[in-house]
Amino acid sequence: MNQINSPLIRIGVFYDGNYFLKISDYYYFQHDRKARISLEGLHEFIRHQVAEDEDADVRLCQITEPHFFRGRLSATEARDKDRLFHDRLLDDILMNMSVQTHYMPLKTRDGRLQEKGVDVWLALEAFDLSLHKNLDVVVLIAGDSDYVPLIKKLNTLGTRVMLLSWDFKYTDFKGENRVTRPSQLLLETVNYAVAMNEVIDSNRGGDLVDNLFVNQPEPSPFPNVATPKPYTPSAAGPEGSIGISTIKNLKNGYGFVVMPPNNLFFSYADMAEGQDFNELREGDWVEFTVGRNHRNEDCARNVRKVEAPEGEYQHEPEGVESEL
């Protein structure tokens, strides 16, 4: 350890942002999971993985320096490409997880947007923080061989490096083959290499793996109470129509409303006037307006908490104490 007589293992997590978002898109659009990666679940997985590799108590493995690096459109370009809401939502998620963001402007060259300098910035920050904040383990969420010199430098400080990487291929909606694969040199250089696609597909991590995804059914908080017959709402109607259903999941600033065949996404920004996102609980009944997001997918707007329809199950039944 970098700090003598300290049992705490300090973990720094460094995201190559575009790499991470590409992974999240793959699980949402291509993989059978059909769900995005949860930062909260990913950080919990990292703590347990570090504890296993370092032979330490997971309670002593704490993420003290989470950082996210990415090239970013200017406000004008994001507005023109209908990306402002998406970028702001990502910022909110990172902010709620106390992840420090580092953005560099995307440059347009030959009519294409290019990201320059992000990997260098990530490497400089990772080395500087390891040196001055006594990081014991640096976790890289990346796949580029450009990070090999960083790993070697970190090892001279006594800092171990864990790599979370994915190896997969698929055919996109244009019929083109896409491949994401980590650098072999990178895999050979790090101290701990974790093949996340194998961990996820084998589900050998159990709940830790399930919690890596944001759109997962949650276990009932009332295991000793018989589950009543569920209310089945109709499918989402046309844009602007009004619906009523229950909240399935709530995470850091966003959630999902039950609406077969696909649950409807909403964020704190979609709350109706005078409604507070922080007062919502999973299982609450809400009224909402069907909208469309930037991908032209159904989503919930003007979300408002309402009383459960007569005869339906309340999420906190009288006489039962929640174990949450």
Side-chain angles (χ1 to χ4, degrees):
M1 295 183 186
N2 286 332
Q3 190 163 337
I4 298 175
N5 298 325
S6 173
L8 187 69
I9 295 180
R10 298 168 179 81
I11 305 169
V13 180
F14 295 85
Y15 290 85
D16 180 327
N18 276 340
Y19 177 81
F20 172 74
L21 293 174
K22 183 190 299 183
I23 300 303
S24 189
D25 280 348
Y26 165 73
Y27 282 100
Y28 186 71
F29 293 108
Q30 305 294 334
H31 196 270
D32 290 341
R33 290 272 181 173
K34 292 293 182 287
R36 291 198 177 279
I37 299 291
S38 162
L39 287 182
E40 183 178 10
L42 185 58
H43 285 190
E44 189 65 13
F45 175 88
I46 287 170
R47 291 180 57 239
H48 281 77
Q49 188 66 46
V50 168
E52 179 180 333
D53 289 336
E54 293 275 301
D55 193 22
D57 188 328
V58 69
R59 293 171 297 180
L60 298 177
C61 300
Q62 297 296 328
I63 296 174
T64 58
E65 291 290 339
H67 294 261
F68 187 93
F69 298 79
R70 187 191 180 202
R72 185 169 178 167
L73 294 167
S74 68
T76 301
E77 290 173 316
R79 179 197 62 197
D80 294 342
K81 295 178 182 294
D82 193 25
R83 297 284 298 178
L84 276 175
F85 175 77
H86 181 273
D87 284 352
R88 179 59 186 272
L89 180 59
L90 175 61
D91 282 345
D92 289 346
I93 294 170
L94 293 168
M95 179 176 62
N96 278 288
M97 285 297 298
S98 300
V99 176
Q100 296 186 48
T101 54
H102 306 261
Y103 294 126
M104 295 189 73
L106 288 170
K107 303 294 185 181
T108 302
R109 295 184 181 179
D110 300 324
R112 297 181 62 186
L113 287 169
Q114 296 184 2
E115 185 181 76
K116 294 292 183 181
V118 171
D119 53 349
V120 175
W121 194 5
L122 186 156
L124 289 172
E125 286 289 328
F127 183 79
D128 185 63
L129 289 168
S130 296
L131 179 63
H132 297 291
K133 294 292 185 71
N134 298 314
L135 296 182
D136 297 290
V137 178
V138 160
V139 178
L140 291 178
I141 299 175
D144 200 317
S145 61
D146 288 348
Y147 296 113
V148 168
L150 166 66
I151 297 166
K152 294 180 178 179
K153 282 290 188 181
L154 290 174
N155 283 168
T156 67
L157 300 176
T159 302
R160 284 80 70 196
V161 181
M162 175 181 290
L163 177 71
L164 302 190
S165 65
W166 282 261
D167 187 339
F168 57 79
K169 58 184 177 180
Y170 63 93
T171 303
D172 67 14
F173 68 95
K174 295 180 181 179
E176 298 179 359
N177 293 325
R178 301 289 184 181
V179 178
T180 294
R181 181 166 294 131
S183 159
Q184 186 61 36
L185 181 58
L186 191 65
L187 291 172
E188 294 171 354
T189 307
V190 296
N191 306 101
Y192 309 123
V194 184
M196 292 299 293
N197 54 292
E198 295 179 5
V199 171
I200 290 170
D201 290 342
S202 67
N203 201 32
R204 65 174 183 253
D207 289 343
L208 280 175
V209 170
D210 287 339
N211 291 335
L212 285 171
F213 298 94
V214 300
N215 191 14
Q216 294 293 320
E218 299 290 336
S220 170
F222 313 114
N224 297 322
V225 178
T227 302
K229 183 179 179 180
Y231 171 80
T232 304
S234 60
E239 185 173 6
S241 59
I242 305 298
I244 181 172
S245 187
T246 56
I247 293 176
K248 181 176 182 179
N249 296 95
L250 288 172
K251 294 293 183 180
N252 296 301
Y254 62 95
F256 292 87
V257 173
V258 176
M259 182 60 68
N262 297 310
N263 299 316
L264 300 183
F265 174 90
F266 73 101
S267 76
Y268 78 96
D270 294 310
M271 298 298 295
E273 185 176 357
Q275 297 287 302
D276 187 350
F277 179 89
N278 294 319
E279 293 181 356
L280 294 178
R281 298 292 182 269
E282 294 176 5
D284 280 347
W285 285 83
V286 291
E287 182 182 86
F288 58 90
T289 303
V290 176
R292 298 287 185 271
N293 61 18
H294 67 285
R295 296 182 186 275
N296 200 32
E297 301 168 331
D298 289 339
C299 62
R301 308 284 195 205
N302 301 317
V303 179
R304 179 188 302 276
K305 184 175 178 180
V306 297
E307 295 294 329
E310 186 176 355
E312 297 297 339
Y313 175 63
Q314 303 283 339
H315 98 100
E316 186 94 74
E318 183 178 353
V320 179
E321 295 182 0
S322 171
E323 297 181 2
L324 297 181

